[in-house]
Amino acid sequence: MGREEDEAAVHNHQNAIEVRNDNVYDDDDDPNQKNKGNDAVPAAALSVEQIFASQEVPSWQDQLTVRAFVVSFVLSILFTFIVMKLNLTTGIIPSLNVSAGLLGFFFVKTWTKIASKSGLLKQPFTRQENTVIQTCVVASSGIAFSGGFGSYLFGMSESVAKQSSDTNDYKNPSLGWIIGFLFVVSFLGLFSVVPLRKIMIIDFKLTYPSGTATAHLINSFHTPEGAKLAKKQVRTLGKFFSLSFFWGFFQWFYTAADDCGFANFPTLGLKAYENKFYFDFSSTYVGVGMICPYIVNISVLLGGILSWGVMWPLIENRKGDWFDEKLKPSNMHALQGYKVFIAIAIILGDGLYNFVKVLTRTLSGLYNQLQEKDVADSSLPVADRPSYTKEEPSFDDQRRTQLFLKDQISVWFALGGYVAIAAISIGTLPHIFPQLKWYYIVVIYIFAPALAFCNAYGCGLTDWSLASTYGKLAIFTIGAWAGASNGGVLAGLAACGVMMNIVSTASDLTQDFKTGYLTLASPRSMFFSQVIGTAMGCIISPCVFWLFYNAYDNLGKPSSPYPAPFAVVYRNMAILGVEGFGSLPRYCLLLCYIFFGIAIAVNLIKDFIGKDKGKYIPIPMAMAIPFYIGSYFAIDMCIGSLILFIWTKINKAKAEAFAPAVASGLICGDGIWTLPASILALAGIKPPICMKFLSGKDNAKVDGFLSSSS
């Protein structure tokens, strides 16, 4: 999804995806077939748009087909379950754009093949329609992240409030108000950047690496060789989807009680298990590890070793001195306070650094673009003018620009839509959150378009969306403005949701405009597919979350299979913004300062030594995630990295072509298993077996009980 920011951008330091059609053929393929049909004009001699020049580009209305949205709806449900599970477990969400494009191609291609045989095919499947599907699915499933179900929104609940120092200021989830909230805040970002699409895509020629990569993927699917490779990728995805699904089903039989089953298998010993070091047999995170860059996975593991292997045991030994030894470990004034607030310090340090870095680069790039535009508009020849501005536009650029500018979206339509939705939102949100006064919302909406532009522009330069960083900014400013006596915690969390949704959807839409520009999909079809996908997400995501919320009584608790770690983090950020630092345990604030500084220093070192060497420096944001929930998922992810590394050494071409399909299959299969598992839990059907491993002390108790009872 190329989405977002901190948690997710631990996310996606994404590299452009290259689709290779050579050296990825199965053993039974005839290698002599690879170059057939290319004798007249070598494929390499033709540009992308020259290959498709003979195909008529459908109108923007014809790109928005019923079958596209039927497929998008089905895939949106699948991807929402996946994103929701990742949200509620660790918060690390890899890019699922490849999976969305690949599965969209497969489903519609199957649809058209059946319709063609039956003589009912009225419209062929085009790359523009494929782009519409990908856009709609990513927009819909993206709401599962920006909707805050694993962060700010769930952080408002009573169950999360009980894990913090403020247990009074809460609002429990309800399907009605969540859907209403998302509908009034999720569309503003779309209207805020529509007037800037030409500046972003054509004038400034921003890269948008994820959008560009997705476009290349879709373009390749619709060439003969690309379609052949896509068919093999889908077949591979299906195999590992089935394997992952049935593995999840098998594991379910052994989870009759808490902390039992394969997910709690002490693979590294019972002592390591007590400190959250074990392999939990999750195919989801093995797949995530195959998608995420190596340095992300290693950073997560290093963070787990530093926290659970070194720091927490040392701080635990200081109980009675640093904090009251009578307090439970889960109390925020005990060890839990160190876990949460040190993680917050690292997240804020890393987020602040990257916010300043991306903002500086954005403003610098914008200034340079405007200066170059001024020079280009003048009649004076300039010797040091970048050469690309003097070159005649290529055939591809001319064709893409012509079609991109063909279907205009009125500026007045965008401005009118923004004002109308803002007015509805200002009137509605105070009824959902009485703590969020109307004038807080007005201030947010005044600054939001500028911040949305900065986020969209920065994403075009760096592929980083800093939506959650802007959200945290809203938490502190609005929370402090409201104050503790006026429900500042809830006001800050709600403001975070408003800001996150605006800047997140803004960057997503500009990414989609870039994808549409490179696949000749109309800006109008991109805009309307994004709107329809967002509307789908505003209904699907709350319903999926509601299923999790009702199926698992301990949702959001550290002992739960779905601990939602960022919900606690976001709530405590809000408390920190409202109440200050007075409630922290001894030396916790000092440690927070130290780790805040370390996060900034690590980033400075990373940038100072350059990209080549800097890629070996750990990412502070990734290191912070296991501070609260442990290292078990880091081991899974590192195993995924190891599999990919070995595969690449054996056959690099096949690994590059099929690893995303294998990873997507592992993630999708395990993710969709959560649907029947949740239904079984709601129905009160429990697994028949509990497979639990006890410590030596606990085993002695069991032996004593058995001997006495006999």
Side-chain angles (χ1 to χ4, degrees):
M1 352 188 139
R3 319 211 85 68
E4 291 300 353
E5 75 241 70
D6 307 341
E7 304 93 79
V10 154
H11 343 309
N12 294 325
H13 295 312
Q14 291 209 123
N15 300 316
I17 304 161
E18 296 181 0
V19 180
R20 298 171 181 261
N21 294 328
D22 55 331
N23 301 324
V24 294
Y25 291 80
D26 293 336
D27 295 336
D28 56 350
D29 288 332
D30 182 0
N32 296 322
Q33 298 293 321
K34 286 187 282 184
N35 297 317
K36 279 189 176 182
N38 295 334
D39 295 335
V41 181
L46 297 175
S47 68
V48 172
E49 295 310 327
Q50 286 172 334
I51 293 174
F52 290 104
S54 62
Q55 296 183 10
E56 182 182 356
V57 178
S59 66
W60 73 269
Q61 295 97 330
D62 291 336
Q63 295 171 23
L64 303 171
T65 62
V66 173
R67 68 189 179 199
F69 291 116
V70 171
V71 169
S72 296
F73 180 75
V74 174
L75 290 179
S76 293
I77 295 174
L78 168 64
F79 281 83
T80 298
F81 269 98
I82 295 167
V83 174
M84 194 66 69
K85 178 178 179 179
L86 297 174
N87 258 336
L88 297 173
T89 48
T90 65
I92 297 179
I93 303 172
S95 173
L96 297 173
N97 296 47
V98 174
S99 303
L102 186 61
L103 287 173
F105 175 84
F106 167 71
F107 277 115
V108 180
K109 203 69 176 175
T110 304
W111 184 321
T112 55
K113 186 178 291 185
I114 295 172
S116 179
K117 289 182 179 179
S118 60
L120 299 175
L121 182 63
K122 296 181 179 179
Q123 182 177 342
F125 182 40
T126 63
R127 54 189 175 134
Q128 290 80 24
E129 188 178 354
N130 204 158
T131 305
V132 165
I133 294 171
Q134 185 270 337
T135 297
C136 190
V137 172
V138 171
S140 178
S141 58
I143 298 294
F145 177 79
S146 62
F149 299 101
S151 55
Y152 66 86
L153 190 143
F154 190 38
M156 301 176 184
S157 67
E158 183 179 9
S159 62
V160 175
K162 289 180 178 178
Q163 300 174 53
S164 66
S165 58
D166 175 22
T167 58
N168 298 318
D169 203 8
Y170 63 84
K171 184 179 181 68
N172 281 321
S174 172
L175 199 56
W177 74 255
I178 293 175
I179 292 176
F181 171 74
L182 291 177
F183 264 106
V184 296
V185 301
S186 298
F187 296 91
L188 277 163
L190 305 181
F191 289 93
S192 66
V193 295
V194 163
L196 304 172
R197 65 194 181 283
K198 178 179 178 293
I199 296 173
M200 299 284 209
I201 307 301
I202 295 177
D203 295 344
F204 291 169
K205 293 182 172 60
L206 296 178
T207 307
Y208 289 103
S210 292
T212 299
T214 304
H216 289 322
L217 183 79
I218 291 173
N219 282 334
S220 74
F221 284 168
H222 291 266
T223 62
E225 289 300 332
K228 185 176 182 181
L229 175 59
K231 186 184 297 184
K232 294 176 183 177
Q233 289 172 323
V234 169
R235 193 184 307 144
T236 301
L237 189 151
K239 290 178 183 177
F240 284 89
F241 177 95
S242 302
L243 179 66
S244 178
F245 182 88
F246 285 109
W247 174 239
F249 176 57
F250 174 76
Q251 288 188 83
W252 176 81
F253 282 93
Y254 298 90
T255 56
D258 292 338
D259 300 324
C260 68
F262 285 91
N264 292 279
F265 194 93
T267 44
L268 302 176
L270 288 165
K271 188 65 178 176
Y273 173 79
E274 291 174 4
N275 288 283
K276 304 292 185 179
F277 282 95
Y278 56 94
F279 174 56
D280 74 344
F281 294 90
S282 169
S283 56
T284 293
Y285 281 101
V286 173
V288 170
M290 294 179 70
I291 293 177
C292 287
Y294 295 132
I295 191 61
V296 171
N297 302 333
I298 294 171
S299 298
V300 173
L301 183 60
L302 287 175
I305 294 171
L306 175 63
S307 56
W308 289 87
V310 179
M311 290 177 59
W312 305 157
L314 291 175
I315 294 176
E316 178 71 15
N317 291 334
R318 306 302 299 174
K319 63 183 177 183
D321 181 13
W322 287 18
F323 56 90
D324 190 345
E325 62 183 343
K326 296 179 181 179
L327 295 174
K328 294 181 180 179
S330 59
N331 192 295
M332 290 302 296
H333 297 285
L335 183 60
Q336 189 80 338
Y338 296 94
K339 294 178 182 178
V340 171
F341 286 103
I342 292 176
I344 289 174
I346 297 173
I347 290 170
L348 290 179
D350 188 77
L352 178 64
Y353 178 87
N354 285 295
F355 172 71
V356 173
K357 173 184 169 183
V358 173
L359 183 61
T360 302
R361 187 172 175 183
T362 297
L363 295 176
S364 174
L366 183 59
Y367 175 78
N368 291 334
Q369 294 278 12
L370 293 174
Q371 288 291 98
E372 290 175 1
K373 191 174 188 300
D374 290 340
V375 172
D377 291 340
S378 70
S379 59
L380 296 175
V382 180
D384 60 352
R385 178 80 180 136
S387 59
Y388 70 84
T389 61
K390 293 182 178 180
E391 291 179 356
E392 192 70 25
S394 66
F395 173 82
D396 285 12
D397 287 341
Q398 290 182 21
R399 184 162 171 76
R400 288 165 177 168
T401 300
Q402 175 191 2
L403 289 168
F404 189 78
L405 297 177
K406 177 184 175 184
D407 296 323
Q408 293 293 324
I409 302 174
S410 170
V411 173
W412 290 109
F413 170 78
L415 293 177
Y418 186 89
V419 172
I421 296 175
I424 295 170
S425 181
I426 291 167
T428 304
L429 286 176
H431 292 285
I432 301 175
F433 302 105
Q435 301 85 353
L436 190 65
K437 306 301 182 183
W438 66 268
Y439 43 88
Y440 300 160
I441 307 168
V442 170
V443 171
I444 291 173
Y445 287 166
I446 289 173
F447 289 99
L451 298 178
F453 168 76
C454 290
N455 193 48
Y457 189 93
C459 188
L461 292 175
T462 65
D463 208 32
W464 272 32
S465 169
L466 296 174
S468 73
T469 303
Y470 290 103
K472 295 182 186 93
L473 183 64
I475 287 180
F476 288 112
T477 54
I478 301 299
W481 186 3
S485 60
N486 295 314
V489 172
L490 278 184
L493 291 171
C496 172
V498 175
M499 184 63 76
M500 265 186 70
N501 277 280
I502 292 173
V503 298
S504 175
T505 52
S507 64
D508 291 346
L509 181 59
T510 46
Q511 285 268 19
D512 293 331
F513 279 146
K514 182 68 174 185
T515 304
Y517 172 78
L518 294 172
T519 59
L520 303 190
S522 167
R524 288 188 184 179
S525 66
M526 291 294 90
F527 178 77
F528 283 108
S529 62
Q530 184 88 17
V531 169
I532 293 170
T534 301
M536 285 183 185
C538 290
I539 296 173
I540 295 172
S541 292
C543 290
V544 171
F545 173 74
W546 196 244
L547 184 64
F548 277 89
Y549 185 72
N550 287 281
Y552 300 97
D553 295 333
N554 59 350
L555 187 75
K557 297 179 181 178
S559 60
S560 168
Y562 301 102
F566 279 102
V568 176
V569 168
Y570 271 66
R571 182 173 186 88
N572 281 283
M573 283 184 186
I575 294 171
L576 198 63
V578 172
E579 298 181 354
F581 302 101
S583 61
L584 300 183
R586 191 179 184 187
Y587 297 123
C588 183
L589 182 58
L590 176 62
L591 290 171
C592 287
Y593 285 145
I594 292 171
F595 279 91
F596 181 87
I598 289 174
I600 293 176
V602 168
N603 277 297
L604 283 169
I605 295 170
K606 193 178 183 72
D607 287 337
F608 180 76
I609 64 177
K611 188 175 181 180
D612 291 338
K613 295 180 180 178
K615 65 183 180 182
Y616 299 108
I617 303 294
I619 302 168
M621 180 69 66
M623 294 181 67
I625 294 173
F627 272 54
Y628 177 63
I629 58 174
S631 306
Y632 55 91
F633 70 95
I635 295 173
D636 299 358
M637 292 171 67
C638 285
I639 288 176
S641 283
L642 181 62
I643 292 170
L644 180 62
F645 178 77
I646 294 172
W647 191 1
T648 302
K649 291 296 182 183
I650 295 173
N651 191 327
K652 185 177 181 180
K654 277 201 170 185
E656 289 180 344
F658 292 103
V662 172
S664 299
L666 292 173
I667 295 169
C668 292
D670 194 37
I672 203 63
W673 163 248
T674 58
L675 173 58
S678 300
I679 293 173
L680 290 171
L682 283 172
I685 301 174
K686 295 185 177 181
I689 304 169
C690 175
M691 183 177 71
K692 184 175 287 191
F693 292 82
L694 305 177
S695 64
K697 184 179 179 181
D698 290 331
N699 275 316
K701 289 181 181 179
V702 173
D703 291 339
F705 172 77
L706 293 174
S707 60
S708 62
S709 61
S710 60

